[in-house]
Amino acid sequence: MIDSPSADPGNAGSPPTPLLVAVVRGIALVVVLPFRLAWELVAAVGRWLHRWLLAPLGRFLDRWLLRPLGWLLRILVWVPLSWLGRGLAWLLRWLGLGLSWLLRTLVWVPLVWLARGLAWLARTVVWIPLAWLAYHLIWVPLRWLARLLAPLGRLLVAGLAAVGRWLAAGLVAVGRWLAAVGRVLLGALGWAWWAAGRLLWWCYALTLRPFVLGARWLWRHAVRPVGRAVAAAWRATVSPAARWVRRAVVDPVRQAAREALTALGLRG
């Protein structure tokens, strides 16, 4: 059911809209109205499907399929697998302890001693000479070159900073213009969405709502009582008569026919 929309969002605490905003709102209303109508139809169909199809189907599947299947899986699969997993975990734990002791004794300790020896050799033979050469052949010339080029670097940084400030100012101006345009468009779309909802609600209230209320009243005060009365009359008359006919006529005739066929040898 289409709910009555709230107050106009475009008129809440705002001055009278200019002519441009009014034109944009009208265009937005024409564009948004079909989407709002489709949205309301999809929501109504979804509520009907959930109430009369999906919810009963879900309850049926949960009670008659998922719960028995879960019980079977737990008894036939999960419990045996859990016991098997515990046994395998116990076995793997002891195997892991044995393998870890062997690896630590036969592999890790020798590798640690070998790594310590190689580290001492690399530090003494390779790292200290390379560090000395890098300091005197690379770091000292680079430091001297940096001191020489420092004024040029400061000038370049100042130029880049000026260009960055100019670009930032331009981007801020463009951003403010885009924000103003976006506010106008968003306000127009919001008003159009509200107006479309209001228009659809009034169309529903003037056309479909009386029929819905009348059908609901007729179902509640006429069809349902008549159905209950017919069901009660059926249970009070037809059902007892059918049971009596079955017990008094059909069952004796069937039993007599079965006995006659058995006596004549036509029934094994």
Side-chain angles (χ1 to χ4, degrees), residues 11-227:
N11 295 330
S14 61
T17 55
L19 179 60
L20 177 60
V21 177
V23 172
V24 173
R25 284 184 174 184
I27 297 173
L29 174 60
V30 173
V31 173
V32 170
L33 182 59
F35 294 99
R36 183 60 184 266
L37 178 59
W39 173 263
E40 298 295 342
L41 290 176
V42 170
V45 172
R47 288 193 295 268
W48 185 87
L49 288 176
H50 178 268
R51 181 176 180 182
W52 298 105
L53 180 62
L54 297 180
L57 181 61
R59 290 193 294 270
F60 175 79
L61 292 177
D62 178 66
R63 182 174 182 181
W64 299 105
L65 180 62
L66 295 181
R67 291 183 183 178
L69 183 61
W71 183 83
L72 288 176
L73 289 176
R74 180 177 177 274
I75 297 300
L76 300 179
V77 178
W78 175 251
V79 173
L81 285 179
S82 64
W83 285 100
L84 181 61
R86 291 177 183 177
L88 290 177
W90 181 82
L91 180 62
L92 292 176
R93 178 175 177 271
W94 286 104
L95 288 177
L97 291 176
L99 289 176
S100 64
W101 183 83
L102 289 176
L103 290 175
R104 183 171 62 85
T105 304
L106 300 180
V107 178
W108 177 250
V109 174
L111 285 179
V112 168
W113 285 101
L114 180 61
R116 288 179 181 178
L118 291 177
W120 179 85
L121 184 63
R123 179 178 179 275
T124 305
V125 178
V126 178
W127 175 250
I128 293 177
L130 285 179
W132 186 86
L133 291 175
Y135 177 78
H136 289 86
L137 298 180
I138 298 177
W139 173 248
V140 173
L142 285 178
R143 186 173 59 183
W144 177 80
L145 184 62
R147 290 178 181 178
L148 183 64
L149 297 177
L152 182 60
R154 286 194 292 269
L155 181 62
L156 181 61
V157 169
L160 291 176
V163 173
R165 287 193 297 269
W166 179 79
L167 289 176
L171 292 175
V172 168
V174 173
R176 290 177 180 175
W177 182 80
L178 291 176
V181 174
R183 283 195 297 269
V184 172
L185 292 178
L186 289 177
L189 288 176
W191 178 87
W193 184 263
W194 170 85
R198 191 74 179 179
L199 180 61
L200 291 175
W201 185 84
W202 279 110
C203 292
Y204 167 77
L206 295 176
T207 57
L208 296 179
R209 190 176 184 185
F211 294 102
V212 173
L213 295 178
R216 184 183 298 172
W217 183 90
L218 184 64
W219 174 264
R220 184 176 299 172
H221 296 87
V223 177
R224 186 182 293 177
V226 170

Side-chain angles (χ1 to χ4, degrees), residues 229-268:
V230 170
W234 182 274
R235 289 193 299 269
T237 59
V238 177
S239 296
R243 287 194 296 269
W244 179 83
V245 170
R246 181 175 57 82
R247 289 196 300 265
V249 179
V250 177
D251 289 344
V253 170
R254 184 184 300 156
Q255 183 65 25
R258 187 182 296 113
E259 292 177 356
L261 292 175
T262 303
L264 294 174
L266 298 177
R267 180 181 177 87

